Amino acid sequence: MSLMKTMLTTSALAVSLSFAGAALAQDYQPDPNAKPGGNIIVTYKDDVATLDPAIGYDWQNWSMIKSLFDGLMDYVPGTTELRPGLAESYDVSDDGMTFTFHLRPGVKFHNGREMTAEDVKYSLDRVTNPATQSPGAGFFGSIMGYDAMADGSASELSGVEVVDPATVKITLSRPDATFLHVMALNFASIVPKEAVEKWGADFGKHPVGTGAYKLADWTIGQQLVFAKNTDYWRAGVPYLDQITFEVGQEPIVALLRLQKGEVDVPGDGIPPAKFEEVMNNPAEKARVVEGGQLQTGYITLNVKMPPFDNLKVREAVNMAINKKRITQMINGRAIPANQPLPPSMPGYIKDYKGYSFDDAAAKKLLAEAGFADGFTTELYVMNTDPNPRIAQAIQQDLKAIGITAEIKSLAQANVIEAGGAGKAPMIWSGGMAWIADFPDPSNFYGPILGCAGAGEGGWNWSKFCDPEIDAEATKADSFTDPADPKRLAMWSDVYAKVMEQAPWVPVFNEQRYTMKSERMGGADNLYVDPVSIPVNYDYVYVTK
Amino acid sequence: MLAYLARRLIQAALILLGVSFITFFLLYVLPADPVRQIAGRSATAQTVENIRHQLGLDQPFVVQYWRYLVGLVQGDMGRSYLQKTDVATLIMARLPATLLLMLGAIVAELVIGLTLGIIAAIRRGGALDQTLMITSFVAVSAPQFVVGLLLLYVFAVKLSWFPIGGYGSFSNLVLPALTLGIMGSGWYSRMMRSSMIDVLRSDYIRTARAKGLRRSRVLVLHAMPNAILPIIAMIGIDIGIFMSGIVVVESVFGWPGIGQLAWQAIQRVDIPIIMGVTLVSACAIVLGNLIADMITPFIDPRIKLR
C-alpha cells in the first residue's frame, strides 16, 4: 500500500479544487471477475454495540456502519485515497474556508425517500449536538458555529447552509487541512431525520442509511443480517446478497469453524496462540492477507512524574528497549518503530535514526541523571495476551540498566483510567495502541501527544505538553491542502521535536492479518482495507 | 406454611437489596471510568463532561444509587451505556438461552451423576467404585474452561459429532450442557453413592430381599426412589452454582445467554448491564434456594417448615 502516492493524488484533488473528485471516482476499476450473489458469514466475539453512525466508534461496528451509511466523502476501496461519496463534486474557496458540496441526484435512503441537502444539514447538526453524545463530535470543531453547539447555546451549526436541495455550503471558522477526511468519517454519515426521530435512542438498532447494505435482521446476542441494497447508487455493487454477522464466537472457535468451512471471515482475526500454526500450513497461509496498518504501539513515560521528568532518564529508557526481540515475541507480526508515525503515514521520516538499542549508553545517561543505581517504578499493561508477555520483556530490558519495573497488569478500562489520571509512570499501550481515525499525520498528535489530550482523563498518558510544538502543529493544520509538502515537512518536524523530548518509546507498528475462506474473492487490498476492518464488505465477492 | 413463605420472600427482597447496594458500590469505587469507555479516545474534555452529566454520573453515590433503585422498582433496569438499549430488553433476549442451557445441564448432571452413583454404590469397595469416585473427583475439580475446550476439540472438531458452538438446535446444546453439568455430576455421583449405600443398609431393603424379591427389583423399585429423593432437593442450589459457570461455558461455546452478556459488560465497564445481570442471577439463586427448601417437606414429611 503506497500511501505516500495516494496522498499525493489526493492533493491533486484538493489543489485543482472543483470537479477533480468526479474524475477520481472513475479511477477505481471494479474487479472484472466479480460476480454478484452469495451469502457470507463473519464472526465476532462481542455483541455489536450500536449501528448509529454518530455513536459507533469501535473496530467492529466501524466497517458495518460504513456499509449501511454514506457520507459526503469516501475512500477508494482498499486505499486511503479520498473520493467523493454522496457529494458528486465539491468546490473549495481560495482561502480554503468554504466548501460547497454538490450532491449526487437520485440517491435514496433505505426507506425509499430521496436524500437532500436538508439531510446533510440535519446529520451534521445531530452529530455535534451534545444530546446525541457522539464520541466524534470534536472532529467537527473547525465548522463555524461548533462551539455554540458544544456549549448548548445553539441547536444548529451556523456554518452549514442549504443552498438548494442539491447543494450544501460548509464554512469553517479556521482553516482545517483534515476537513475532507472528517467528512469521510462515519460520524459524518447522512441520516434521514424521520427515521432518527421515529426510533429515537434506538436508532442504532434500527439504522436507515443510503449504504450498500441494509439491516435485515438483528437477533440480540446471536446475529445480524445485512441484505444487499438493490437500489444502491453506486452501480454494480455490492456483490454479495447477504452478510451474516454471528456474534458471541470466541476467536479460537471462529478459526476452527473457518477451517471446517463454516465461516468466511473471522472478524477478530487469527488468535495469537494459533498464528504460527496457521502460517506454517501452506494451504492456510495462502488464505491469509497481510497488510500494513496506521498503528503504533508505544510505551508512555509520564513526564510529570519523577524520575521521568528528567529527559536523560527518558532517553535512557528509549535506548534500553530491545524492540526487535519484542516483535519476535509476537511472531514477527510487527515491525520495530523509532517514531510516533507509522511508515505508511504521510509525514513519516524515512531517514530518522531514533534512539538505538544501547545498554551501555543508557546506563551512562542514567548515571548522569543521578540514577547510577537505577530506581523502582511501575509499568501498567492491559491484561490480555500478548501484552503481559511484552511487559515482561520490557521489564527485563529495564532491569539490564538497573531499573526495577513492577508490572501492573489490569483490565483495559483500569489502565485507561490510570493513564488518563496521570497516575501511571509507564504504560505499555498494547491493546489500546493508537490506530489512525483517518490517514493524516495530525491524527497522531492532538489526543496522544498534544496539550489537548494532556489534561485529566485525556488519552495523552505521558502528560507531555510543549506549547511551542503545539503551535507548530496548529500551523501545520491551517494549510488548505492536506498533502502540501510544506505541511507534511512541518508535521515531520513536529514528531522529530517530540522525539527529542522522548515522552514515548515507540516500540512497533503492527501488521494486519485477515484470514478468509477459500471461496472469498476480490483484490487482496480489500481484505486489509485501511478504513474497513476486517474487509471492505461492498466490494468483496464469493466465487462459489 | 404461608407465613413461612411470606417471611422467606421478605428475606429474599432484603438480600436482593443488599446485593444491589454492594454491587453498585463496588462498581462506583472501581478505578475505571465508564464515561471514558463511552466517549472513546478522541473525545474532547467537553464531550466527556457532557456525557457524564447526561448519564447522571456526576452525581454523588447516594443520588446515583437512589435513582437506580427508583427505576428498578418501576421495572426500569436502565440503559446499556455502550449498546444503547434497555438492559431489560438485552437480558430478556438472552434469558431463554441461559435457562435452556441450565435445564440441559440439570438433565446431564442427573443422568450422569445418578447412574454413576448407583453403580458405585452397588459395587462399593470394588475397583469400579474407586475408579468412578476418582473420576467424579476429577469432574468436580476440572476447570470448566478446560473441559469445554476439550469437549469442543474432541467431539466437534475431531469427530464432527456436534457443531462447533452456536445455538438453535438440540445438537448445539449437548456439549455446553455437558460442560456445565459435568461438575454437578461429580457431586451427584458422590451423594447418590452414599445415599444409596445408606438405603441399601436399611431394614426394609433387607426385608424385601428376605421376602425373596429379585435384587434388581429391590434396587429399582425399593431402594432408588428413596435414595434419589433427598438429592432432588439439591437442584435448587445448583442454580446458584450454574450462575458462576455460565459466564465461562457460554463464552466458550458462543451460547447467547446472560453469562456472555455479563462478561462483555464487565470488560467494557457497562455498569447498567453488570447490575442487571447480577440482580437477575441473585434472584435465581434466592429462588433456587427457596424452591429447594419448599420441596424438602414433601420429600421427607419429618421436616416441617416454620
Side-chain angles (χ1 to χ4, degrees):
Chain A
M1 185 181 69
S2 157
L3 215 116
M4 273 297 211
K5 198 184 105 226
T6 56
M7 283 308 293
L8 289 176
T9 332
T10 313
S11 89
L13 174 144
V15 169
S16 57
L17 305 179
S18 175
F19 301 110
L24 249 183
Q26 273 111 47
D27 285 356
Y28 184 74
Q29 289 298 325
D31 192 331
N33 301 318
K35 56 173 196 178
N39 308 336
I40 64 165
I41 294 178
V42 180
T43 61
Y44 278 109
K45 179 165 75 67
D46 289 334
D47 273 334
V48 175
T50 172
L51 292 174
D52 185 335
I55 294 169
Y57 192 30
D58 59 55
W59 291 106
Q60 181 183 4
N61 60 22
W62 193 257
S63 57
M64 293 182 179
I65 290 170
K66 271 223 165 327
S67 284
L68 294 172
F69 294 89
D70 296 301
L72 296 178
M73 298 300 293
D74 186 15
Y75 292 97
V76 174
T79 75
T80 51
E81 190 179 336
L82 277 167
R83 69 168 172 176
L86 292 178
E88 199 170 37
S89 64
Y90 58 88
D91 314 299
V92 190
S93 64
D94 288 338
D95 60 359
M97 300 284 275
T98 309
F99 289 75
T100 309
F101 292 95
H102 305 285
L103 304 185
R104 217 171 274 274
V107 174
K108 287 203 172 100
F109 286 114
H110 297 153
N111 64 11
R113 184 173 68 75
E114 193 168 326
M115 187 254 334
T116 72
E118 289 292 344
D119 295 305
V120 176
K121 178 164 175 55
Y122 171 75
S123 302
L124 294 176
D125 285 344
R126 174 174 184 256
V127 72
T128 49
N129 191 325
T132 309
Q133 300 183 13
S134 171
F139 286 115
F140 300 90
S142 64
I143 298 181
M144 190 174 278
Y146 171 81
D147 291 338
M149 282 299 278
D151 66 24
S153 60
S155 59
E156 288 177 50
L157 284 165
S158 58
V160 182
E161 187 192 332
V162 175
V163 178
D164 61 56
T167 317
V168 185
K169 196 165 93 181
I170 300 180
T171 312
L172 306 186
S173 56
R174 55 176 157 90
D176 181 2
T178 63
F179 182 67
L180 287 177
H181 284 299
V182 170
M183 287 292 114
L185 287 173
N186 280 352
F187 299 119
S189 297
I190 309 307
V191 294
K193 184 179 182 184
E194 68 276 13
V196 174
E197 282 175 354
K198 178 180 170 194
W199 294 109
D202 285 331
F203 181 66
K205 286 273 182 289
H206 304 273
V208 178
T210 57
Y213 294 91
K214 42 188 166 187
L215 180 67
D217 175 55
W218 187 335
T219 312
I220 293 176
Q222 297 182 35
Q223 65 172 27
L224 289 86
V225 178
F226 281 15
K228 177 179 184 164
N229 174 8
T230 46
D231 289 331
Y232 191 48
W233 54 272
R234 278 194 204 279
V237 286
Y239 300 120
L240 298 169
D241 285 340
Q242 189 178 300
I243 308 173
T244 306
F245 298 95
E246 296 186 0
V247 299
Q249 312 254 334
E250 282 291 316
I252 182 89
V253 174
L255 178 68
L256 293 172
R257 292 188 61 203
L258 178 98
Q259 287 165 338
K260 287 190 78 179
E262 293 174 9
V263 162
D264 293 295
V265 177
D268 297 311
I270 308 166
K274 284 279 179 183
F275 183 75
E276 217 160 330
E277 188 186 314
V278 167
M279 296 307 265
N280 286 336
N281 177 334
E284 287 187 351
K285 192 184 174 196
R287 290 189 274 123
V288 176
V289 182
E290 181 184 353
Q293 60 177 340
L294 301 171
Q295 187 266 13
T296 303
Y298 48 88
I299 305 165
T300 58
L301 308 173
N302 191 331
V303 301
K304 296 273 186 275
M305 240 180 176
F308 295 111
D309 56 348
N310 186 326
L311 173 61
K312 286 195 168 141
V313 173
R314 302 200 297 268
E315 287 175 333
V317 172
N318 259 284
M319 300 178 98
I321 307 298
N322 187 346
K323 299 167 187 175
K324 208 165 161 200
R325 187 170 65 130
I326 294 175
T327 61
Q328 283 162 355
M329 283 179 61
I330 55 165
N331 307 317
R333 298 172 83 160
I335 48 170
N338 63 14
Q339 56 188 299
L341 290 184
S344 42
M345 183 69 98
Y348 177 81
I349 319 166
K350 276 211 177 65
D351 49 5
Y352 184 71
K353 292 281 178 296
Y355 297 93
S356 47
F357 174 53
D358 186 343
D359 271 356
K363 267 190 197 150
K364 205 171 141 238
L365 276 170
L366 268 192
E368 282 171 26
F371 295 98
D373 300 327
F375 55 86
T376 304
T377 185
E378 285 171 343
L379 172 63
Y380 282 69
V381 54
M382 187 177 151
N383 58 6
T384 51
D385 187 67
N387 299 307
R389 284 191 292 133
I390 292 175
Q392 282 169 4
I394 296 168
Q395 187 183 41
Q396 283 171 19
D397 288 341
L398 293 174
K399 190 86 220 166
I401 62 164
I403 301 173
T404 308
E406 186 197 329
I407 295 178
K408 291 256 199 184
S409 181
L410 304 168
Q412 187 188 52
N414 304 75
V415 180
I416 292 171
E417 176 72 13
K423 283 188 285 202
M426 301 178 82
I427 300 175
W428 160 241
S429 73
M432 307 152 293
W434 196 258
I435 306 179
D437 295 299
F438 49 83
D440 188 87
S442 64
N443 192 241
F444 267 74
Y445 182 77
I448 41 179
L449 284 164
C451 296
E456 167 82 27
W459 209 275
N460 178 344
W461 299 330
S462 319
K463 302 296 161 197
F464 175 75
C465 170
D466 184 322
E468 269 176 47
I469 301 181
D470 241 37
E472 191 178 349
T474 308
K475 223 167 121 194
D477 270 355
S478 311
F479 280 68
T480 315
D481 170 14
D484 188 324
K486 267 191 263 163
R487 171 176 186 260
L488 295 181
M490 279 179 85
W491 271 117
S492 301
D493 190 49
V494 164
Y495 290 109
K497 280 186 180 148
V498 166
M499 282 316 291
E500 275 171 27
Q501 305 277 327
W504 277 13
V505 183
V507 177
F508 59 54
N509 306 110
E510 250 175 271
Q511 292 287 92
R512 211 171 112 201
Y513 298 84
T514 306
M515 198 167 178
K516 52 177 179 159
S517 66
E518 218 159 305
R519 67 193 187 118
M520 293 298 297
D524 271 358
N525 65 1
L526 297 175
Y527 291 89
V528 284
D529 192 303
V531 282
S532 286
I533 295 171
V535 304
N536 189 317
Y537 298 120
D538 302 4
Y539 288 84
V540 296
Y541 57 92
V542 290
T543 53
K544 61 181 175 204
Chain B
M1 181 75 185
L2 274 179
Y4 173 81
L5 189 62
R7 207 169 64 236
R8 284 294 299 266
L9 285 176
I10 292 168
Q11 273 175 10
L14 287 175
I15 290 171
L16 291 178
L17 187 70
V19 168
S20 76
F21 179 81
I22 292 169
T23 318
F24 205 90
F25 181 71
L26 287 178
L27 291 169
Y28 181 78
V29 296
L30 193 75
D33 184 357
V35 179
R36 266 283 147 197
Q37 292 283 307
I38 303 164
R41 48 181 213 162
S42 293
T44 58
Q46 201 174 18
T47 308
V48 172
E49 285 324 304
N50 160 42
I51 293 175
R52 193 184 308 283
H53 179 69
Q54 288 190 42
L55 293 176
L57 291 172
D58 50 353
Q59 299 289 324
F61 171 75
V62 181
V63 176
Q64 288 188 37
Y65 180 62
W66 178 250
R67 281 184 183 173
Y68 185 79
L69 278 190
V70 169
L72 207 57
V73 170
Q74 296 165 343
D76 178 8
M77 301 176 91
R79 275 178 84 80
S80 156
Y81 291 159
L82 294 159
Q83 301 206 39
K84 312 279 176 192
T85 308
D86 286 328
V87 171
T89 311
L90 290 171
I91 291 179
M92 285 314 290
R94 286 168 166 274
L95 203 55
T98 295
L99 294 178
L100 180 66
L101 177 58
M102 284 191 177
L103 191 71
I106 289 172
V107 172
E109 68 182 1
L110 285 180
V111 169
I112 300 173
L114 299 189
T115 314
L116 295 186
I118 291 167
I119 296 172
I122 298 170
R123 296 285 171 86
R124 71 173 175 280
L128 184 62
D129 176 26
Q130 278 170 6
T131 315
L132 288 178
M133 284 308 104
I134 291 171
T135 313
S136 77
F137 183 71
V138 172
V140 168
S141 353
Q144 281 168 322
F145 190 72
V146 176
V147 173
L149 280 180
L150 210 64
L151 289 179
L152 198 65
Y153 186 72
V154 174
F155 295 105
V157 177
K158 284 291 155 191
L159 298 173
S160 294
W161 289 359
F162 299 102
I164 309 173
Y167 176 70
S169 71
F170 178 73
S171 59
N172 290 116
L173 176 64
V174 176
L175 293 181
L178 214 55
T179 309
L180 191 59
I182 227 160
M183 185 171 81
S185 74
W187 289 117
Y188 281 114
S189 65
R190 301 193 140 228
M191 279 191 294
M192 186 64 198
R193 178 177 175 273
S194 52
S195 169
M196 191 76 179
I197 288 171
D198 279 351
V199 172
L200 287 177
R201 280 197 192 119
S202 58
D203 293 341
Y204 78 97
I205 295 290
R206 204 176 313 127
T207 311
R209 287 285 285 152
K211 272 195 322 197
L213 288 178
R214 266 183 304 141
R215 188 176 148 84
S216 58
R217 192 180 160 82
V218 172
L219 272 178
V220 175
L221 292 180
H222 293 76
M224 268 167 58
N226 280 318
I228 288 174
L229 278 177
I231 288 170
I232 297 297
M234 305 298 293
I235 293 173
I237 294 160
D238 276 352
I239 295 171
I241 298 168
F242 284 159
M243 276 297 168
S244 63
I246 54 168
V247 173
V248 171
V249 176
E250 288 184 354
S251 292
V252 170
F253 289 95
W255 192 263
I258 59 170
Q260 214 183 43
L261 183 69
W263 178 232
Q264 288 178 18
I266 288 166
Q267 287 173 315
R268 305 195 223 172
V269 211
D270 201 335
I271 290 175
I273 294 187
I274 303 176
M275 283 301 297
V277 176
T278 307
L279 285 178
V280 168
S281 311
C283 273
I285 293 170
V286 167
L287 272 179
N289 281 312
L290 187 58
I291 291 168
D293 289 350
M294 303 295 289
I295 289 177
T296 322
F298 294 101
I299 294 168
D300 188 342
R302 285 169 299 183
I303 298 171
K304 284 228 163 53
L305 298 178
R306 267 191 295 259

